[in-house]
Amino acid sequence: MTTVLALDYAAALIFALSGALAASRAQLDLVGFAFLASLTALGGGTIRDVLLDRNQVFWMADPTPLAIACGAAVVVFFTAHLLESRQMVLTWLDALALPIAVAAGVRAATELDQSVPIVLLMGVATGCFGGLLRDIVSNEVPLLIRPGKLYVTAALAGAGTALLSASLTSNPLVPVLACIAVTFVLRAGSLAYGWRLPAYKPRPPRS
Amino acid sequence: MTTVLALDYAAALIFALSGALAASRAQLDLVGFAFLASLTALGGGTIRDVLLDRNQVFWMADPTPLAIACGAAVVVFFTAHLLESRQMVLTWLDALALPIAVAAGVRAATELDQSVPIVLLMGVATGCFGGLLRDIVSNEVPLLIRPGKLYVTAALAGAGTALLSASLTSNPLVPVLACIAVTFVLRAGSLAYGWRLPAYKPRPPRS
Amino acid sequence: MTTVLALDYAAALIFALSGALAASRAQLDLVGFAFLASLTALGGGTIRDVLLDRNQVFWMADPTPLAIACGAAVVVFFTAHLLESRQMVLTWLDALALPIAVAAGVRAATELDQSVPIVLLMGVATGCFGGLLRDIVSNEVPLLIRPGKLYVTAALAGAGTALLSASLTSNPLVPVLACIAVTFVLRAGSLAYGWRLPAYKPRPPRS
């Protein structure tokens, strides 16, 4: 199994759990869970593959991620009532899936010998668009635009770390792991400790 | 004319009427009606064709569905004021277009010899994404995520029926008609009589 | 540099400024500004290129528009506090970018010898989808569906003007400039003086 595929599988699983939780908040039925889980799990990688014009979208060449997403939907359907706060679990699952999906996007673009800005962007897009679609379709304010949290910033930092570490070592797993670690630490630190970059703050015009 | 094309035409017409009604609710002008009608009419099939990497998106090879959508927009623009409840007519037009679009998606994927999960997904995607785009762009809660109604479930059941009946008969029209019938009956029964699958219900955690 | 590319650059710059202003309204950080600026700047042209199946999406063949969008995001991040009304500036930047993007879409489709309806649609889609994505992702009511304003109408009129003037002159710049002028005048007149087409008005049913 290729590295991109393994990462796509792992990201699909965790994003699918978050999508199914969004479906539980919207009180959908089991098929609704599977739909929102699949959309979240496959959305980012699909947009990446369409943009990169890869031979086939990853889950059409091999529908395993689709099966993973549906399985995750079933599990969440029967267990979500055990959770204290579905919104918090959703947010943390999203925080776990984001780094893996960023690594998958960086890796897929690197294998196609794309330029540095495109590799960065594919990392960010693969990471961010699945959760964005989940939030838009389930009619919630996207996690990505919640003020005062690192989201796209964490994804971009992770993608940059992957590129940097790829130039320092020939071991192909190092960039993957470094990307996941940096993205997750930034996103988790932002959620847990409020880490953030300076946000735009309206100030009175200079007089 | 191929079967897929005929189904795409019919789904385009009915989805366009629903999109134009959404435009009337948003008080747009005639071109706004045509835009929202076209987006609804062509959205699902476009996503299907991009994912399947078909030679050309269906309405670019032959712009008839675009003309149909614009014609439907004109008709609705001058007649929508005659309706008692635009939201109810919109919902029922959507319920009529969904089954036809599901059949078109299943058929298009079958003709490209896709695997069973991909065929099912293409049916669901072709059916659901047009209405989803309409609802998101017109800033409404998507019909698809309204709790307690069969929507994706009806689409999936119809797509499954198409596959099943295709294995039982060689007449290519049987799967199409069976798919439309099953999807419509489930969706209509859900709207009229409240048919539904068990939805996720929050229960207190086990103590 | 080709005309399409020059137009894509210009539209990217101005749309990016509008996207960055949307990010400032959502109080994002600098990377959030760059994300929303890039989505707005590249969204319309990306959808056009995917639909037209052009060899490569324009900003992947040449990432300059991406750099332009990120530069615009930085500028807005440090200057948006100087503005009296960000929403008004956003609306007018959008009104300026729309005509240029419509011209880019018309031109790109014309160069691929597409039929008249497809050329018109590509103009409208390239013009409208960037701003639509910006508004949906930043959780605002899309400018495009605000009642009583010319938006899609202005885009369509501009695209039509481009086609008409292309048949009257062999100078390839005339259609571009005519398209930009007509689209901008209609959109600006709508914003400043309330120009509009008759909108759908609910009337009581005939008795």
Side-chain angles (χ1 to χ4, degrees), chain B residues 81-178:
Chain B
H81 65 280
L82 301 171
L83 300 171
E84 289 277 336
S85 163
R86 283 171 291 159
Q87 181 60 40
M88 177 173 290
V89 176
L90 191 164
T91 303
W92 279 96
L93 286 169
D94 185 275
L96 205 57
L98 173 72
I100 304 175
V102 170
V106 167
R107 181 73 186 225
T110 307
E111 286 181 1
L112 293 174
D113 291 321
Q114 296 287 333
S115 63
V116 166
I118 301 300
V119 169
L120 292 174
L121 201 90
M122 286 299 124
V124 171
T126 309
C128 295
F129 277 113
L132 199 52
L133 286 173
R134 174 198 63 217
D135 295 341
I136 290 173
V137 169
S138 62
N139 208 32
E140 302 271 353
V141 178
L143 284 182
L144 185 148
I145 66 157
R146 304 273 170 91
K149 300 283 179 220
L150 302 175
Y151 197 106
V152 188
T153 308
L156 183 64
T161 305
L163 275 183
L164 212 70
S165 56
S167 69
L168 298 175
T169 167
S170 60
N171 184 331
L173 275 183
V174 171
V176 168
L177 296 175

Side-chain angles (χ1 to χ4, degrees), chain B residues 10 18 25-26 33 35 40-41 45 53 58 73 79 103 117 133 146 154-155 167 183:
Chain B
S18 80
R25 283 166 52 87
F33 273 61
F35 180 83
T40 313
D53 214 356
F58 71 103
T79 59
L133 286 173
R146 304 273 170 91
S167 69
T183 308

